[in-house]
Amino acid sequence: MSEDASAESPSGAASAVGVGDVERLAERLNSLFETVLRADGSEYSVSDVVRWVNATGGSTSRERLHAMRKATPPGRFSVDSPEVHKIAEFFCVPHGYFQEEEPCAIDGSTLASLIQQRHNGYRRGTIPQRVFYLFSTVTQADGRPYPATDVARWINANGGKITNVYIQKLISGERGERPQSSYLQWIGKFFGVGISFFYDDNPPEIDGQYQNAIIMLRNPKSAELQQLYGRLTPLQQEGVRRLMITLAKDNDPTFIAPSDPDDE
């Protein structure tokens, strides 16, 4: 079989790229995920990377990135593609990091700091970058961003009108740099920020945990629990707190309990 025939064969996709290239990509990609960590010590998820790539002019998917990490890239693929370059950019490493025989040494803490600086800069960036900043800063209790479908559902139930597709296009910049202010106002309401966040030259940093607490307290059950908690004695409140931490750890072994305010 000729080389050209092999390149056209779906089963020979990895061979056309070069098995060594694909395995090197997978090894270094997995190393980045394990080494470049969030401020809380957890790994960036595949969804985090995909969301950033698609929001900053690139194109990839969770399925494709998972396949790269397993050394089984799908279809026509190149280690020197714009897709792989954008993934390198997410981790703040040179485009050639996945190709070079002996790439530059990686300092996880330095790269993590660069990613955080870039992320913080988005609150002063374009409107799509600011929308992206909100979605990636104000996350659910388990660290996952609120789905666009949940945001759209809340907006539509409270007097606004928007679709999850439109929200996704706002994040990716497909709706341009100046979307309608009414849409921004409603997205801001969901996350508990004023519309000025999208237009001020230097809006304040967002406390993601605090804003998420505001969102959670909209749930009638959460508000009821807070009222009941307020009727307990300090000793009873501490018992409830410890019970909830135990339950959270049972549900998610990676859960890190918040520090006790009395210990600070």
Side-chain angles (χ1 to χ4, degrees):
M1 180 182 293
S2 68
E3 290 184 4
D4 290 341
S6 175
E8 291 295 326
S9 170
S11 62
S15 298
V17 176
V19 173
D21 292 338
V22 170
E23 291 179 346
R24 183 188 299 120
L25 169 65
E27 178 183 355
R28 293 180 184 176
L29 191 52
N30 289 326
S31 177
L32 286 174
F33 273 97
E34 295 165 2
T35 305
V36 185
L37 306 176
R38 293 191 182 99
D40 63 3
S42 62
E43 293 185 10
Y44 285 99
S45 68
V46 165
S47 294
D48 290 331
V49 179
V50 170
R51 191 177 304 107
W52 182 87
V53 168
N54 292 336
T56 56
S59 178
T60 190
S61 67
R62 294 173 67 251
E63 293 73 22
R64 289 182 65 84
L65 189 47
H66 276 302
M68 290 181 216
R69 296 188 68 180
K70 295 176 182 178
T72 57
R76 292 182 177 276
F77 179 78
S78 169
V79 178
D80 192 30
S81 66
E83 178 183 22
V84 176
H85 289 178
K86 289 296 293 185
I87 293 170
E89 285 180 27
F90 173 86
F91 287 106
C92 299
V93 296
H95 291 173
Y97 175 76
F98 297 115
Q99 300 168 264
E100 298 170 357
E101 291 291 338
E102 296 184 8
C104 57
I106 293 300
D107 182 335
S109 60
T110 298
L111 296 181
S113 178
L114 291 173
I115 292 174
Q116 189 59 49
Q117 290 174 22
R118 178 180 67 199
H119 179 266
N120 289 340
Y122 288 157
R123 65 185 170 86
R124 296 184 294 270
T126 64
I127 286 179
Q129 288 175 337
R130 296 182 190 212
V131 175
F132 176 84
Y133 174 88
L134 283 178
F135 272 86
S136 53
T137 300
V138 186
T139 58
Q140 301 175 80
D142 59 5
R144 292 181 300 169
Y146 281 94
T149 50
D150 289 1
V151 178
R153 188 181 300 114
W154 182 88
I155 290 173
N156 294 331
N158 285 275
K161 187 174 182 180
I162 199 170
T163 67
N164 64 301
V165 173
Y166 187 90
I167 293 174
Q168 290 167 344
K169 288 185 175 181
L170 273 181
I171 298 173
S172 67
E174 293 179 67
R175 299 305 303 180
E177 298 289 316
R178 307 293 292 185
Q180 290 185 27
S181 60
S182 58
Y183 292 127
L184 298 177
Q185 186 171 24
W186 275 106
I187 291 173
K189 283 184 178 181
F190 176 86
F191 287 107
V193 301
I195 194 170
S196 60
F197 171 80
F198 299 102
Y199 297 110
D200 287 353
D201 290 338
N202 187 28
E205 288 190 35
I206 300 296
D207 184 332
Q209 288 187 334
Y210 178 79
Q211 298 304 127
N212 182 52
I214 293 175
I215 294 172
M216 291 179 65
L217 287 175
R218 293 179 189 144
N219 185 319
K221 290 184 178 180
S222 297
E224 181 184 10
L225 285 174
Q226 186 182 42
Q227 291 178 347
L228 292 172
Y229 184 83
R231 292 178 176 271
L232 303 178
T233 66
L235 185 61
Q236 290 171 329
Q237 288 178 350
E238 178 58 22
V240 170
R241 177 179 178 275
R242 292 183 181 278
L243 173 61
M244 295 180 73
I245 288 174
T246 299
L247 292 173
K249 287 182 176 179
D250 287 343
N251 290 338
D252 180 6
T254 65
F255 171 74
I256 300 176
S259 59
D260 189 336
D262 294 336
D263 295 338
E264 297 179 353

